Amino acid sequence: MTWTAPEATRTIGPLTGGERETLTAFLAFYRSTLLQKCSGLTGSQLVEQTVEPSNLTLLGLVRHMAKVERIWFREGLAGLALPSMYDTEKGKDADFEDLSPDHAPDDYARLVEEMRLADEAAADAPLDTTFTRRGSVYSLRTVYVHMIAEYARHIGHADLLRERLDGTTGA
């Protein structure tokens, strides 16, 4: 049987509340939107390059966001020393370029797991918690804002990729 990305429900969080609730709700919204953009597609569809000459694919975005989640929350905030998620010998863009439809289920599951682990790493940390990465000091608050921006930018890409795949538009 051919694997297809599972249905995903967009998470709509509270539109009022404190800073923490707002940041986590918007991040959850964008995370679930990326998963929704992949819903119902096969591994072959997820690796299809539909906006030439760009090498962007939905699976590339899934893999990239798994890497970004890991870097900022678990490696940065939690200070964990983790192995590279993708083959570093294939370059810094291996998350976008080293794709296989056969690995789509694992890549998708990896993103979902990295989201969970990121939430776990941040759960008890105050927004003012800081860490140093590549010589710069970041707060958890900044990480949330960065991740929201990163997802929002890539959701725009995902919109175009999905529309070119099967005509699906909107959220």
Side-chain angles (χ1 to χ4, degrees):
M1 177 173 263
T2 302
W3 178 86
T4 59
E7 289 302 313
T9 302
R10 231 158 108 182
T11 303
I12 307 291
L15 300 178
T16 60
E19 182 181 18
R20 179 76 174 235
E21 294 81 13
T22 301
L23 291 171
T24 58
F26 270 90
L27 180 55
F29 171 80
Y30 283 116
R31 284 171 168 170
S32 62
T33 300
L34 178 59
L35 298 178
Q36 189 180 48
K37 291 293 175 188
C38 298
S39 291
L41 297 176
T42 66
S44 294
Q45 289 172 305
L46 291 172
V47 301
E48 191 174 330
Q49 295 177 356
T50 61
V51 188
E52 294 180 357
S54 173
N55 69 344
L56 282 179
T57 65
L58 287 168
L59 190 60
L61 292 174
V62 164
R63 288 164 51 95
H64 175 68
M65 292 312 300
K67 179 179 81 175
V68 172
E69 291 271 1
R70 177 184 281 197
I71 287 169
W72 285 106
F73 286 102
R74 296 205 298 139
E75 293 178 7
L77 178 66
L80 300 176
L82 300 169
S84 293
M85 194 173 278
Y86 306 111
D87 187 349
T88 56
E89 290 185 13
K90 295 189 178 188
K92 68 180 182 88
D93 288 336
D95 41 341
F96 289 110
E97 297 170 353
D98 188 26
L99 306 176
S100 169
D102 296 335
H103 297 145
D106 293 333
D107 289 333
Y108 185 94
R110 180 182 294 136
L111 173 59
V112 171
E113 180 66 1
E114 286 296 335
M115 291 173 179
R116 184 189 72 74
L117 293 168
D119 288 344
E120 191 177 281
D124 296 324
L127 292 175
D128 290 328
T129 301
T130 60
F131 62 91
T132 302
R133 181 173 188 274
R134 294 186 179 166
S136 296
V137 177
Y138 297 90
S139 69
L140 176 56
R141 177 181 292 103
T142 299
V143 170
Y144 275 117
V145 172
H146 171 74
M147 291 298 294
I148 291 165
E150 181 91 3
Y151 270 101
R153 183 174 81 233
H154 290 313
I155 294 303
H157 299 137
D159 285 337
L160 294 172
L161 295 167
R162 181 66 191 248
E163 183 175 4
R164 294 284 297 172
L165 274 170
D166 67 359
T168 300
T169 60

